[in-house]
mmCIF file of all heavy atoms in Angstrom:
data_model
loop_
_atom_site.group_PDB
_atom_site.id
_atom_site.type_symbol
_atom_site.label_atom_id
_atom_site.label_comp_id
_atom_site.label_asym_id
_atom_site.label_seq_id
_atom_site.Cartn_x
_atom_site.Cartn_y
_atom_site.Cartn_z
ATOM 1 N N MET A 1 -36.514 14.285 23.804
ATOM 2 C CA MET A 1 -35.133 14.459 23.323
ATOM 3 C C MET A 1 -34.107 14.157 24.417
ATOM 4 O O MET A 1 -33.129 13.450 24.171
ATOM 5 C CB MET A 1 -34.952 15.882 22.783
ATOM 6 C CG MET A 1 -33.558 16.100 22.176
ATOM 7 S SD MET A 1 -33.283 15.075 20.696
ATOM 8 C CE MET A 1 -34.398 15.888 19.535
ATOM 9 N N PRO A 2 -34.284 14.708 25.665
ATOM 10 C CA PRO A 2 -33.336 14.384 26.721
ATOM 11 C C PRO A 2 -33.250 12.885 26.992
ATOM 12 O O PRO A 2 -32.189 12.366 27.326
ATOM 13 C CB PRO A 2 -33.881 15.154 27.929
ATOM 14 C CG PRO A 2 -34.672 16.273 27.337
ATOM 15 C CD PRO A 2 -35.289 15.694 26.116
ATOM 16 N N THR A 3 -34.404 12.194 26.860
ATOM 17 C CA THR A 3 -34.413 10.752 27.121
ATOM 18 C C THR A 3 -33.542 10.016 26.102
ATOM 19 O O THR A 3 -32.786 9.110 26.456
ATOM 20 C CB THR A 3 -35.848 10.209 27.055
ATOM 21 O OG1 THR A 3 -36.648 10.913 27.996
ATOM 22 C CG2 THR A 3 -35.871 8.729 27.402
ATOM 23 N N ILE A 4 -33.661 10.413 24.834
ATOM 24 C CA ILE A 4 -32.853 9.787 23.792
ATOM 25 C C ILE A 4 -31.380 10.084 24.023
ATOM 26 O O ILE A 4 -30.523 9.197 23.915
ATOM 27 C CB ILE A 4 -33.282 10.295 22.398
ATOM 28 C CG1 ILE A 4 -34.730 9.875 22.108
ATOM 29 C CG2 ILE A 4 -32.350 9.755 21.320
ATOM 30 C CD1 ILE A 4 -35.263 10.388 20.798
ATOM 31 N N ARG A 5 -31.080 11.343 24.388
ATOM 32 C CA ARG A 5 -29.687 11.716 24.639
ATOM 33 C C ARG A 5 -29.114 10.925 25.805
ATOM 34 O O ARG A 5 -27.980 10.451 25.757
ATOM 35 C CB ARG A 5 -29.605 13.217 24.926
ATOM 36 C CG ARG A 5 -28.177 13.729 25.106
ATOM 37 C CD ARG A 5 -28.151 15.202 25.368
ATOM 38 N NE ARG A 5 -28.864 15.520 26.604
ATOM 39 C CZ ARG A 5 -29.079 16.756 27.035
ATOM 40 N NH1 ARG A 5 -28.689 17.799 26.299
ATOM 41 N NH2 ARG A 5 -29.727 16.979 28.170
ATOM 42 N N ASN A 6 -29.900 10.771 26.859
ATOM 43 C CA ASN A 6 -29.446 10.004 28.021
ATOM 44 C C ASN A 6 -29.237 8.538 27.676
ATOM 45 O O ASN A 6 -28.306 7.897 28.167
ATOM 46 C CB ASN A 6 -30.451 10.131 29.168
ATOM 47 C CG ASN A 6 -30.497 11.547 29.728
ATOM 48 O OD1 ASN A 6 -29.559 12.327 29.549
ATOM 49 N ND2 ASN A 6 -31.589 11.877 30.404
ATOM 50 N N ALA A 7 -30.124 7.986 26.822
ATOM 51 C CA ALA A 7 -29.995 6.592 26.421
ATOM 52 C C ALA A 7 -28.723 6.379 25.611
ATOM 53 O O ALA A 7 -28.009 5.387 25.792
ATOM 54 C CB ALA A 7 -31.218 6.167 25.606
ATOM 55 N N VAL A 8 -28.431 7.334 24.714
ATOM 56 C CA VAL A 8 -27.207 7.243 23.920
ATOM 57 C C VAL A 8 -25.986 7.340 24.819
ATOM 58 O O VAL A 8 -25.013 6.588 24.676
ATOM 59 C CB VAL A 8 -27.176 8.355 22.849
ATOM 60 C CG1 VAL A 8 -25.817 8.389 22.158
ATOM 61 C CG2 VAL A 8 -28.283 8.149 21.827
ATOM 62 N N LEU A 9 -26.034 8.277 25.791
ATOM 63 C CA LEU A 9 -24.919 8.436 26.716
ATOM 64 C C LEU A 9 -24.702 7.176 27.545
ATOM 65 O O LEU A 9 -23.563 6.733 27.740
ATOM 66 C CB LEU A 9 -25.178 9.632 27.648
ATOM 67 C CG LEU A 9 -24.090 9.940 28.675
ATOM 68 C CD1 LEU A 9 -22.781 10.262 27.968
ATOM 69 C CD2 LEU A 9 -24.512 11.083 29.576
ATOM 70 N N ASP A 10 -25.795 6.573 28.007
ATOM 71 C CA ASP A 10 -25.686 5.333 28.788
ATOM 72 C C ASP A 10 -25.084 4.203 27.947
ATOM 73 O O ASP A 10 -24.281 3.408 28.446
ATOM 74 C CB ASP A 10 -27.063 4.918 29.300
ATOM 75 C CG ASP A 10 -27.583 5.863 30.379
ATOM 76 O OD1 ASP A 10 -26.750 6.587 30.973
ATOM 77 O OD2 ASP A 10 -28.807 5.882 30.623
ATOM 78 N N ALA A 11 -25.482 4.124 26.673
ATOM 79 C CA ALA A 11 -24.956 3.078 25.794
ATOM 80 C C ALA A 11 -23.462 3.267 25.561
ATOM 81 O O ALA A 11 -22.690 2.303 25.568
ATOM 82 C CB ALA A 11 -25.703 3.092 24.457
ATOM 83 N N VAL A 12 -23.051 4.524 25.364
ATOM 84 C CA VAL A 12 -21.631 4.810 25.152
ATOM 85 C C VAL A 12 -20.824 4.456 26.389
ATOM 86 O O VAL A 12 -19.757 3.836 26.310
ATOM 87 C CB VAL A 12 -21.428 6.297 24.791
ATOM 88 C CG1 VAL A 12 -19.941 6.659 24.805
ATOM 89 C CG2 VAL A 12 -22.027 6.599 23.420
ATOM 90 N N LEU A 13 -21.333 4.841 27.553
ATOM 91 C CA LEU A 13 -20.625 4.562 28.798
ATOM 92 C C LEU A 13 -20.543 3.064 29.083
ATOM 93 O O LEU A 13 -19.570 2.586 29.666
ATOM 94 C CB LEU A 13 -21.312 5.279 29.968
ATOM 95 C CG LEU A 13 -21.230 6.815 29.951
ATOM 96 C CD1 LEU A 13 -22.056 7.417 31.055
ATOM 97 C CD2 LEU A 13 -19.776 7.249 30.068
ATOM 98 N N ALA A 14 -21.570 2.321 28.665
ATOM 99 C CA ALA A 14 -21.564 0.875 28.881
ATOM 100 C C ALA A 14 -20.550 0.181 27.975
ATOM 101 O O ALA A 14 -19.911 -0.792 28.372
ATOM 102 C CB ALA A 14 -22.966 0.315 28.628
ATOM 103 N N ALA A 15 -20.410 0.690 26.732
ATOM 104 C CA ALA A 15 -19.495 0.065 25.777
ATOM 105 C C ALA A 15 -18.052 0.537 25.952
ATOM 106 O O ALA A 15 -17.122 -0.136 25.513
ATOM 107 C CB ALA A 15 -19.954 0.365 24.349
ATOM 108 N N PRO A 82 -26.013 17.058 39.366
ATOM 109 C CA PRO A 82 -27.304 16.519 39.813
ATOM 110 C C PRO A 82 -27.360 15.000 39.810
ATOM 111 O O PRO A 82 -28.168 14.399 40.482
ATOM 112 C CB PRO A 82 -28.304 17.100 38.798
ATOM 113 C CG PRO A 82 -27.480 17.333 37.561
ATOM 114 C CD PRO A 82 -26.128 17.747 38.058
ATOM 115 N N ARG A 83 -26.485 14.333 39.021
ATOM 116 C CA ARG A 83 -26.458 12.877 38.959
ATOM 117 C C ARG A 83 -25.054 12.429 38.557
ATOM 118 O O ARG A 83 -24.279 13.231 38.034
ATOM 119 C CB ARG A 83 -27.504 12.327 37.983
ATOM 120 C CG ARG A 83 -27.455 12.951 36.595
ATOM 121 C CD ARG A 83 -28.740 12.654 35.833
ATOM 122 N NE ARG A 83 -28.785 13.339 34.569
ATOM 123 C CZ ARG A 83 -28.320 12.884 33.426
ATOM 124 N NH1 ARG A 83 -27.715 11.708 33.395
ATOM 125 N NH2 ARG A 83 -28.432 13.577 32.324
ATOM 126 N N PRO A 84 -24.715 11.170 38.816
ATOM 127 C CA PRO A 84 -23.346 10.704 38.594
ATOM 128 C C PRO A 84 -22.788 10.956 37.203
ATOM 129 O O PRO A 84 -21.641 11.312 37.060
ATOM 130 C CB PRO A 84 -23.436 9.204 38.900
ATOM 131 C CG PRO A 84 -24.583 9.090 39.831
ATOM 132 C CD PRO A 84 -25.563 10.136 39.391
ATOM 133 N N TRP A 85 -23.598 10.722 36.161
ATOM 134 C CA TRP A 85 -23.096 10.919 34.793
ATOM 135 C C TRP A 85 -23.992 11.935 34.074
ATOM 136 O O TRP A 85 -24.827 11.582 33.258
ATOM 137 C CB TRP A 85 -23.088 9.607 34.023
ATOM 138 C CG TRP A 85 -22.145 8.619 34.589
ATOM 139 C CD1 TRP A 85 -22.450 7.516 35.317
ATOM 140 C CD2 TRP A 85 -20.730 8.654 34.504
ATOM 141 N NE1 TRP A 85 -21.322 6.869 35.701
ATOM 142 C CE2 TRP A 85 -20.243 7.525 35.212
ATOM 143 C CE3 TRP A 85 -19.820 9.524 33.897
ATOM 144 C CZ2 TRP A 85 -18.895 7.267 35.329
ATOM 145 C CZ3 TRP A 85 -18.473 9.258 34.011
ATOM 146 C CH2 TRP A 85 -18.021 8.146 34.720
ATOM 147 N N PRO A 86 -23.828 13.202 34.366
ATOM 148 C CA PRO A 86 -24.715 14.221 33.806
ATOM 149 C C PRO A 86 -24.362 14.585 32.371
ATOM 150 O O PRO A 86 -23.277 14.305 31.883
ATOM 151 C CB PRO A 86 -24.447 15.419 34.719
ATOM 152 C CG PRO A 86 -23.015 15.245 35.106
ATOM 153 C CD PRO A 86 -22.802 13.756 35.217
ATOM 154 N N GLY A 87 -25.326 15.251 31.728
ATOM 155 C CA GLY A 87 -25.069 15.723 30.383
ATOM 156 C C GLY A 87 -24.207 16.967 30.381
ATOM 157 O O GLY A 87 -23.904 17.504 29.323
ATOM 158 N N THR A 88 -23.840 17.455 31.581
ATOM 159 C CA THR A 88 -23.033 18.668 31.665
ATOM 160 C C THR A 88 -21.558 18.409 31.398
ATOM 161 O O THR A 88 -20.762 19.335 31.392
ATOM 162 C CB THR A 88 -23.173 19.298 33.066
ATOM 163 O OG1 THR A 88 -22.829 18.320 34.054
ATOM 164 C CG2 THR A 88 -24.588 19.780 33.316
ATOM 165 N N ILE A 89 -21.167 17.137 31.212
ATOM 166 C CA ILE A 89 -19.780 16.836 30.845
ATOM 167 C C ILE A 89 -19.555 17.369 29.431
ATOM 168 O O ILE A 89 -20.223 16.952 28.490
ATOM 169 C CB ILE A 89 -19.509 15.329 30.872
ATOM 170 C CG1 ILE A 89 -19.708 14.789 32.289
ATOM 171 C CG2 ILE A 89 -18.087 15.027 30.394
ATOM 172 C CD1 ILE A 89 -19.504 13.302 32.394
#
Side-chain angles (χ1 to χ4, degrees):
M1 184 65 70
T3 302
I4 296 177
R5 184 179 62 185
N6 293 339
V8 172
L9 180 61
D10 290 341
V12 170
L13 293 174
R83 52 196 174 89
W85 295 105
T88 55
I89 298 178

